[in-house]
Amino acid sequence: MTTEVVSEAEVKKEPEKADEQPAAPQQDAEQESEQPAAIQDGDTPRTASPQTDRKSKEARGLSRFLPPWLKRQKSQSRTEPSEDHEDKAPMEEQLEAPPPEEVSPQEAERDESHSIGSADTQPAKEEKGEEFPERIGDGKEEEDLLESKAGEKEDEPLKAEAEAEKSSLKPAKKMKTVTCQVTLLDGSLLPCEVEKRAKGIVLFVKVCEHLNLLEKDYFGLCYKDHADQKCWLDPAKEIKRQIRNCPWQFAFSVKFYPPDPSQLTEDITRYLLCLQLRQDIASGRLPCSFVTHSLLGSYTLQAEMGDHDPDACCLDYISEFQFAPSQSKEMEEKVVELYKTHRGMSPAQADAQFLENAKKLSMYGVDLHHAKDSEGVDIMLGVCANGLLIYKDRLRINRFAWPKILKISYKRSNFYIKIRPGEAEQFESSVGFKLPNHRAAKRLWKVCVEHHTFFRLVTPEQPPKARFLTLGSKFRYSGRTQAQTRQASTLIDRPAPHFERCSSKRLSRSLDGVPGLGMDDQAGATSLGRTPGEKNGRDPALELSSDSKSKLRVQGENIYVRHSNLMLEDLDKTQEDVLKHQASISELKRNFMESTPEPQPSQWDKRLTASPATSLRLRAQAAFEEEVPSSSLLSSTVACTTSVPAAEGAIAVGSPPAAAHVAETAEDKQKSDTLEQAEVEIEETVVIKEVRKAPKVEVTVPEVVVTAVTEKEPEKKPGGEAEGRGGEGVTQRGSTSSDSHSESEDEAEYHPQAPSVSVDQIKELPEEEEELEVEAQPLEAEPTAASPCPTTEEQEPALKDEAQNGHPESQSPQGSVEEDEEDEGEPKLNGDASRAETEGFPQVICCSEPPVVKTEMVTISDTFAAQKTEISTLEVPIVHTETKTITYEAAQVDGAGDSEPGMLMTAQTITSESLCTTTTTHITKMLKGGVSETRIEKRIVISGDSDIDHDQALARAIKEAKEQHPDMSVTRVVVHKETEVMEEGKD
Amino acid sequence: MAGLMEDFGNFTHAVVRAIPDSFANEDSRRKKTVEVDLAKAQREHELYIEVLRHQLGLRVLELPADESLPDCAFVEDAAVVCGDTALITRPGSDIRRKETEAVKMVLKEMNLNIVEIDDESATLDGMDVLFTGREFFVGLSERTNQRGAEILADTFKDYAVSVVPVQNGRHLKSFCSMGGPDLIIIGSSEQAQRALKIMKQMSDHRYDKLTVPDDAAANCIYVHLPDKGHTLLHCTPEEFPESAKVFERLKDYLLIPVSNAEKVKVDGALTCCSVLIHKKV
């Protein structure tokens, strides 16, 4: 914490920053959707700001629906948002108590990305990074609120970029512009004017335009941070905030190496890839054997020099080329020998041959990061299209394909991956690596997220709705996936653009001694002083098409690897298919169970034997995905108690004990409902477990029981008791945030805390948590939809995300555990509620501490694949079940209820169910002292993934209740949420 | 790299070495008190060489036996040849170190790029090296250590080199071998299956597998012949009846059962007895 403070101070000291900071707020105010949150927060620590902001907004939204007395509470809660944040936020943040200051979350991020050279600063940055994750989580919520913003951002594809660009150009006159020096792959230097506040995409688009490159999604711009580390320029963020006070120098390079370059549409794209690979080879980043060096070199010559000229004395000029980090005369001779055999090959063909050979190299497209394993042994982590590779020296000691990875996270300088359990293993395992510093960890994490998104996610198809529900981590891959870019490429319809291949001689030389960083080229290129080539004729129409394609952009918000999607990919299943599967979960389960016993049908086996088991398993997995969503049960019970004074003028209508009973009954019903759900959950859980061995089971079944009793005279205002299963909502929130957190924050650092921020914290700090919850729920509840839960359809997309993200957490490892939780939790809830009524405190907030069920968790971390098999270390995951109940009550009602027993006139219960919502309405008419009181208690159980906005659901429920019974008043709102939290064994 | 997989299984030469009379004597490797019939073993070996020469059409370079090196016939341990490069190993067993000398000489004469291990701490047995055509798997065994594997990785930089632990004094190829492009033949023992699992996890590539009941039967020699196509030298039905049946599932394969009953007693699998080389021109 202290370090952070220091860091900030430092930051302030920095001249550039000072400039930036003031600007940032302005920006926020103006346009940047992201920023607004920060601004609003103002007082709150910047990290927290997004959340706070959101909450406050939500609070407002809810307040509309809530009776005044409830509002008061809210207001209380409002003040607390900071606490909330704090809770969620790691301790560090709290300690930080940073000034509201300039630094918007994003900025902070950027700050992170740029490391400060000094040791002191670094730690601070690291912390920031950690915070950052949180912010991300928050950011997601933020996005929800600021949909438009988010939309912009996400949609931001080329169109937005183009527009931005244009806009930047025109207003540029006013705005300050900066000249960026972009080193191109051929070593030339391209000066680019951009507005000072321009986002990365603007510069990138300019460079691509200059290059006449359409298949640009494989490329990116990188810069060197203070620590001389290569960083990718995030297109979605302002350049200035990313590079900070580093020089505006960038290198255009390949970011995603296409596994099969022959599938690229245009030769120019292949050419650029060749240039990148030549750099990689010359710098030694891409190791080759002698023979391969020679062969690739010969293709290079053919592409750049044309057919071998027997008259020219080859060896002289040949030695000006760099074919290898160090090349011998022998190699050059070999190159020429092979070169001669390529006679007649066109440059494009030579490039293609070059790529065909280069792509087979084992280190092709592998982005290496230095790290240490848990025992401090130096290893390398390689991120590639297929997953994560672990090397010790030059030996591959393990490999984690994307489908095997459940979660990627980083915390401080540690990088973690959660591994899907193998056939024989019961629990997922986590593997941790130590990176040199926090920024390295974050960089690795980002690269992983991007690579996974780019290579594994086929269809980003996220409907806006889904986006709304889905919390997006702040950082995510904002470009197209490979699938999308391929699809888009098929639309490219232009004559092959003319481009000149320049000799790689000088370039190669300039790279000497530079270990593989694209940035390195800059110096050399600069010295060369080459001017950029003229633009090739570009077709405006092309641009348009590319724009349209841009819509396809994926908004990768998965911190968690979306296994479900992955599975879907494998199956080639559409989402609808998945849904169908969902319909028959039990069947799926069965299938799954059947298939489980069989060792994973190895893909290897497929060829020899088409094993039906495989398909079964896949199905099961698909089912799993589906199920996951439902795993998190959101149950909200809205109890509306309407006290109708029999005679006008009846001042106080005491809520009869009967009412309490009714409520209890309702609760019981709820319980039953819950139980049912619980069962469902269990099943799901099982599936989940097997499919994904998710150790972290966060099942939050919060019950929100809002009981508002208002006695009204003339109009007979009904009291509405709304019991929202806020718990789930909360849980979801928690999980959602945790998901997002997990992606960004958790991974960042908070994971342990972040996932179930509210819940966990609540447990730990009951009081604070209480407050938090209260706030959170009201705040969060926004929409007024009759159905507390989002429509199933909506959910599903969300579910996917959740499944990937939240599911692991939400799923309870043991069905029994969940049940226990629920059982315990609900009774408590009921008890609490009744207690609240009985006691009749004015505006009583009762928080019951949820029972905690702990289950063992298994964590295995092995760097070596071999070890894993041999060592079966199971750490038993701990499942925490947290139940929290918050009761809002009108003071008067309580008193009345207690005092006067009254007589039951009628009672009826209506239960309606929708996919994700079970609504139980209990209507009781009591005759009390000549006053008839109608008490309506609604219990809404919302079950769904973490995606569901529980607050929203609650708000809806309350609003609905009000609308349905305008003549009644809400007297009590009880929110009960149950959360099952699996904590990782390690911190 | 060029034409990487197309060349898989294409060989032009084979290096073999005769079985010395000392073969049957107890040597350090033979802890089991297994009676080895020297004459039988030598006869087997001759037949084996005949198959290489006549059925596979390889140019066989036969080295003379060295009585001081009882295991010298198992030339595979002495060198790993891939493409034009030959890595002369440093066998894990002291008494076998000298076996590499003669092998190195003959490979040198073939104009291969010779790479030698001069690191005294490194050990590597060729029997622990499985080359799939796309990558290497190296068994970390009693005879092969990490350093040896690293040197292998340095030697063949184009390929991924993944390590697979192998216990019980066996070699990686004691229970597996390549049965064709992308086809791994694997034994049924727990050890074999575990190794396979690791290999699967380590590889970006999806291999087919052919599981045979007997580990020893999983060591086969695959050759792609220009005229006959896929060809597999495997155990005889007499030795491993159940496993032999499995090979019949390989369609479009020329199956050549080769007796190896005596040599296998001393861990002399089929692949052990030759170094296959693809030498263009």
Side-chain angles (χ1 to χ4, degrees), chain A residues 687-842:
Chain A
V687 175
I688 292 170
K689 273 188 174 183
E690 299 199 356
V691 176
R692 343 181 123 184
K693 317 169 177 179
K696 260 208 183 175
V697 176
E698 273 192 32
V699 177
T700 309
V701 184
E703 275 191 16
V704 180
V705 181
V706 180
T707 312
V709 181
T710 310
E711 346 78 26
K712 284 315 167 133
E713 330 61 48
E715 296 184 351
K716 298 181 182 179
K717 286 191 179 178
E721 269 194 289
E723 284 191 25
R725 265 242 171 156
E728 285 192 352
V730 175
T731 309
Q732 282 191 350
R733 236 214 187 178
S735 59
T736 309
S737 56
S738 36
D739 288 346
S740 34
H741 288 298
S742 60
E743 292 183 1
S744 49
E745 294 185 2
D746 283 358
E747 297 187 359
E749 307 173 11
Y750 291 174
H751 189 47
Q753 301 176 352
S756 56
V757 175
S758 56
V759 178
D760 288 343
Q761 289 184 350
I762 291 172
K763 284 186 176 180
E764 297 178 358
L765 309 177
E767 293 181 1
E768 291 183 359
E769 290 180 359
E770 290 181 359
E771 291 179 356
L772 292 177
E773 279 194 357
V774 173
E775 293 180 0
Q777 291 178 351
L779 292 176
E780 288 181 341
E782 298 174 355
T784 55
S787 64
C789 296
T791 62
T792 314
E793 293 180 358
E794 292 182 0
Q795 274 191 342
E796 302 219 334
L799 290 180
K800 270 192 176 183
D801 296 349
E802 292 179 0
Q804 296 174 349
N805 302 336
H807 279 308
E809 296 182 356
S810 61
Q811 303 165 354
S812 67
Q814 299 181 356
S816 61
V817 174
E818 286 188 2
E819 285 189 2
D820 292 356
E821 291 182 358
E822 289 190 356
D823 290 354
E824 294 183 14
E826 290 195 354
K828 269 204 176 183
L829 292 176
N830 296 336
D832 290 341
S834 58
R835 202 199 313 160
E837 290 183 7
T838 321
E839 294 179 1
F841 293 123

Side-chain angles (χ1 to χ4, degrees), chain A residues 532-554:
Chain A
E534 335 82 301
K535 284 189 182 178
N536 301 330
R538 47 162 17 203
D539 191 343
L542 294 177
E543 273 296 312
L544 291 179
S545 62
S546 61
D547 288 356
S548 57
K549 296 165 192 169
S550 62
K551 291 179 182 176
L552 293 178
R553 292 228 168 188
V554 182

Side-chain angles (χ1 to χ4, degrees), chain A residues 34-35 37-38 46-47 49-50 103-110 131-143 153 234 236-237 442 445-446 471-478 556-557 559 740-741 743-745:
Chain A
E34 306 168 357
Q35 323 269 343
R46 37 176 181 176
T47 43
S49 66
V103 190
S104 65
Q106 289 188 352
E107 239 195 321
E109 291 185 11
R110 285 160 199 168
E131 296 175 1
F132 176 19
E134 281 191 357
R135 289 175 205 159
I136 294 174
D138 298 352
K140 289 182 180 179
E141 295 178 0
E142 210 184 305
E143 288 181 13
K153 258 195 173 181
D234 188 334
K237 294 175 185 165
K442 183 181 176 184
W445 175 76
K446 277 185 161 186
L471 303 186
S473 68
K474 261 201 177 175
F475 173 79
R476 54 183 181 277
Y477 175 62
S478 58
E557 71 293 17
I559 296 177
S740 34
H741 288 298
E743 292 183 1
S744 49
E745 294 185 2

Side-chain angles (χ1 to χ4, degrees), chain A residues 79 153 259 285 296 312 353 362 372 375 442 460 491 580 605 648 675 693 707 723 759 809 877 883 895 968 973:
Chain A
T79 55
K153 258 195 173 181
R285 186 160 71 150
L296 295 177
Q353 284 303 311
S362 75
K372 289 181 190 294
E375 294 170 357
K442 183 181 176 184
L491 302 178
K580 290 176 187 172
D605 292 336
E648 289 187 2
L675 289 178
K693 317 169 177 179
T707 312
E723 284 191 25
V759 178
E809 296 182 356
T883 309
M968 299 176 86
V973 179

Side-chain angles (χ1 to χ4, degrees), chain A residues 161-322:
Chain A
E161 306 163 8
E163 290 181 9
E165 204 187 340
K166 291 177 184 175
S167 63
S168 66
L169 289 180
K170 293 179 182 176
K173 295 172 184 175
K174 300 177 189 174
M175 314 293 290
K176 294 178 186 175
T177 60
V178 181
T179 301
C180 305
Q181 297 293 333
V182 181
T183 305
L184 303 180
L185 285 169
D186 62 4
S188 65
L189 210 53
L190 172 69
C192 257
E193 285 258 310
V194 296
E195 181 192 328
K196 204 168 183 182
R197 309 210 63 84
K199 291 184 177 179
I201 189 72
V202 175
L203 180 59
F204 181 67
V205 166
K206 280 195 174 193
V207 174
C208 290
E209 281 182 7
H210 169 81
L211 293 169
N212 201 8
L213 174 66
L214 290 186
E215 294 174 286
K216 58 184 90 163
D217 300 285
Y218 300 96
F219 301 85
L221 291 172
C222 47
Y223 61 94
K224 272 191 176 174
D225 64 12
H226 293 85
D228 214 33
Q229 292 296 308
K230 189 178 89 166
C231 303
W232 289 105
L233 190 68
D234 188 334
K237 294 175 185 165
E238 280 184 34
I239 299 170
K240 185 170 174 53
R241 292 193 175 175
Q242 296 183 65
I243 65 169
R244 299 182 123 209
N245 49 10
C246 291
W248 290 65
Q249 293 180 354
F250 306 90
F252 179 81
S253 0
V254 174
K255 189 173 189 181
F256 304 111
Y257 290 75
D260 186 0
S262 67
Q263 288 195 32
L264 295 174
T265 300
E266 296 199 300
D267 287 339
I268 189 170
T269 315
R270 267 186 288 273
Y271 168 64
L272 292 173
L273 179 57
C274 282
L275 290 180
Q276 176 72 63
L277 288 168
R278 282 166 198 156
Q279 282 184 20
D280 294 344
I281 291 168
S283 66
R285 186 160 71 150
L286 182 57
C288 300
S289 66
F290 174 90
V291 175
T292 303
H293 275 134
S294 307
L295 182 64
L296 295 177
S298 68
Y299 286 124
T300 299
L301 288 184
Q302 181 69 24
E304 296 183 355
M305 313 283 296
D307 288 347
H308 175 252
D309 181 358
D311 297 336
C313 85
C314 281
L315 287 179
D316 285 347
Y317 67 79
I318 291 255
S319 57
E320 293 180 23
F321 285 84
Q322 188 174 12

Side-chain angles (χ1 to χ4, degrees), chain A residues 332-352:
Chain A
E332 290 174 2
E333 287 168 3
K334 183 74 175 173
V335 169
V336 173
E337 177 189 331
L338 293 168
Y339 174 29
K340 292 174 183 171
T341 68
H342 303 326
R343 176 169 294 280
M345 198 177 278
S346 74
Q349 287 173 322
D351 280 348

Side-chain angles (χ1 to χ4, degrees), chain A residues 942-957:
Chain A
I942 305 170
S943 54
D945 288 351
S946 51
D947 288 356
I948 301 176
D949 186 331
H950 298 269
D951 294 330
Q952 243 187 38
L954 176 61
R956 273 189 213 147

